[in-house]
Amino acid sequence: MSAHAENLIHDDAPGHEGHGALSENNFLGLPNIKLAMWAFLGSECMFFGSLIGTYFFYHGNSLGGPLPKDVFSIGITSISTFLLLMSSVTMALGVDAMKQQKPLTARTFILLTAALGATFVGFQVFEFHEFYTEKHLALSTSLFGSTFYTMTGFHGTHVTVGVIWLVIMSILITKKKLVPGKEAVNVEVMGLYWHFVDIVWIVIFTFVYLLEFLK
Amino acid sequence: MASILDFAAAQKPIYHQERPSKTGLLDWLTTVDHKKIGILYGGAGLFWLMVGGLEALLFRIQLAKPDQHIFIGDTYNGLVTMHATTMVFLAVMPMIAGFSNYFVPLMIGARDVAFPRMNAFSWWTFFAGSLTINASLLFCGAFPAAGWTGYAPLTTSEFSGMPIDFWWAGLTLLAVSSMVAGVNFVVTILNLRAPGMTLMRVPVLAWMMLVIQFLLAFSFPPITVGLILLAFDRTFGTVFYSTNMGGDPHLWQHLFWLFGHPEVYVLILPSMGIVSEILPVFTRRPLFGHHAVIFSGVFIGFVGFGVWGHHMFTAGMGPIADAAFASTTAIVAIPTGVKIFNWLGTLWNSKMTFPTAMLFAISFIPMFTIGGLSGMMHASPPLDLQQHDTYFVVAHFHYVLVGGALQGLFAGFYFYIPKISGKMLDETLGKIHFWVFLVGFNVTFFPMHLLGNHGMPRRIYTYPADAGWNTENLIATGGVFLMTAATLVFVYNLLTSLKNGKDAGSDPWDANTLEWMTTSPPPVHNFDFTPIVLSERPLWDHKYTPGFEIPVPEKAEEIHMPSPSWKPMWVSASAGVIIVGLLTFNGVLGIPGWPLCIVGAVGVILSVYAWVSEPV
């Protein structure tokens, strides 16, 4: 390569080393999978934005009860919210352990995260059951029933997908198919997803549940 | 000019795969090669273009004369609905996906996309979706007939039957496919550029593809949500769109058009990119205002998310919302004007040649401008109130989408097919195609401006003889036959060229960008060595600017290519089973749906597990 060409590249192109395998090729210095997750989370923002937007578009338009205030029990939901927030802590510790080349510690934290996530989903199932049988709120009862169950249901589905993902990751770590070092980024990306799902819940809990009780 | 494209001297690369590629049909089913997936997308797009065109031909025959009763009622509505659904989602979008798949990695000097198996997943999910939408003809004997916009509550079970279930199910699959493809290509274009290819050296077509991938990733979720709510209403008895439960018809319109307007830019920006690639090649000069063209495309992408309300001026959003959306819509004229003037600047006083690709690219400019100008009229709420749901609107968006998007894609076909097949298309047939299509297109759609101004509404299957619409309708129908004939000439040209076409060589047009530096068709690994990009027009400067030769490495590169895989198809098929399960949840086809949902969900989990465990 001529010196002229060298100059032209080094003026403009940051950090370029090997470009053999596809996975090594990255122009922005950010792993492909991480960039993909950020783009996907942007897309997910629009998804949950639409669902939460629909909830507020119809807020107060229900023709009959029960109304949000009649069904929410902040105490129980606070506990499940707390557990989900704690799962973000264990997730972060898992990502960190993986980066420090401690796959077994990482697996413990990942399984703990999955357990907390599953408990959250359990709380949600309990909540839905309670609303349906005790408070007589069904999907077809009112706009509130439709929007509430759909919005929180899709969030719960996302948590469930996350739990399945966490379990698959811990299996891969056990089978040594996922080794620390280069593949630690896979755990980190899972962490991004998990934190995102957490943040969506913070938005839902704050705006859907808590604001209901604001005078 | 020396025989400077002599890269054959470069060392042949050592390239290997974990598992070898299969041959024949198996290869096409398991391929993760962006070029093969591009051909699949493009072929599917052309097929559905024929089908959508046939649907249009049928309902134009119905409209040729007043008081005809050939296709009436729901048959007519079904043809109109499927014409638009097919053209937007199954013809133009996959053709764009085809160009994006085939050429984006080549243009940026990459070996494949960032996630080749995810790419195959997008294709198979698209394939499943396209079949699902049209399957309603097989299972219900009718097409969905609520218009391509599917306005709820018209699409709820109270007003629409089973075909709409196929419509939402198929569209949901297409939405997933597009969203995944969007994420994949955003990463590809940002991260897989060849060394030295800074953002401003990315070819304009690849840039426009980058913009639309963001639009795909961010605009499809709202319609996905809208479709899910519709599916829940029809299947689980939710009341989102049920007006007697307090539901508001605005909800669907907002969700649909928040997707629908960015979607319009998804359809047009790639054609603008193609034109921006073709004009410089045949004027033999750089694109005038290269950076301005890129930035205006990005700007159109951003503004595209803030204009959806102009589809709803008659829906009663209130004067403040109307005014806001009118202003944002008017702003779109600025970046679009920037592009048009830059194209004119490129053409101005140049020594042009006129192969068919160039003819289509040039005629794109005035035809698109006509559509753009009538679009600006609709930005004004008072004018829009007059024109809403008349044939004037039909004329407007066909000038944009046929005169604009489709002509741009035709230009792209004539320009790029030699790279794909290694054979040139016939120029005489090409010119016949061009002129007949251009005349036919104007004969069809120009009279619709007049029809609209004379008050003819859209989506009516016939009209009385004394309404004063007879002549224009007859002329318009005549034009459709010309367009049909032209398209058949194109297909004939395409098919015969594969056999009889002249050999194209790697660089038949003496072009500017990297895709022309490799053989036609390119090898599996695209480039024998990773090109290093030194300027905005790397290949042109390689040929004509001393000191800018693309350096050839001394030792052979080792290339690892992704292995073919069944897993993407498994995941798509499992996702399809879930959707079919939802579609038949209440046992409408005689099979209970919920077991299918469970089978599909388990299938997704297992095949994803197999996917991540598989060595690539």
Side-chain angles (χ1 to χ4, degrees), chain B residues 409-446:
Chain B
L409 289 169
F410 277 142
F413 278 123
Y414 281 93
F415 190 65
Y416 284 117
I417 276 178
K419 176 54 64 182
I420 298 174
S421 67
K423 305 282 184 185
M424 304 298 285
L425 291 172
D426 186 78
E427 278 297 317
T428 317
L429 287 175
K431 277 168 188 160
I432 294 172
H433 171 205
F434 168 73
W435 286 111
V436 177
F437 189 84
L438 183 65
V439 171
F441 157 71
N442 280 291
V443 168
T444 307
F445 295 108
F446 193 80

Side-chain angles (χ1 to χ4, degrees), chain A residues 175-195:
Chain A
K175 287 185 161 180
K176 297 207 165 44
K177 281 187 177 174
L178 185 80
V179 289
K182 217 182 86 182
E183 283 166 344
V185 68
N186 292 352
V187 179
E188 196 184 341
V189 164
M190 178 170 68
L192 285 177
Y193 173 83
W194 192 259
H195 295 314

Side-chain angles (χ1 to χ4, degrees), chain B residues 30-91:
Chain B
T30 59
T31 187
V32 292
D33 180 355
H34 72 98
K35 296 180 289 296
K36 291 215 168 79
I37 293 172
I39 293 172
L40 288 169
Y41 266 120
L46 273 176
F47 171 76
W48 290 115
L49 183 74
M50 302 291 131
V51 175
L54 180 67
E55 282 153 1
L57 188 63
L58 293 179
F59 68 68
R60 273 318 311 180
I61 291 173
Q62 158 66 23
L63 287 174
K65 287 179 177 172
D67 297 318
Q68 291 203 105
H69 287 80
I70 310 169
F71 303 106
I72 60 166
D74 265 359
T75 314
Y76 178 87
N77 291 345
L79 286 173
V80 175
T81 303
M82 284 311 290
H83 165 68
T85 305
T86 304
M87 286 305 195
V88 171
F89 294 103
L90 309 181

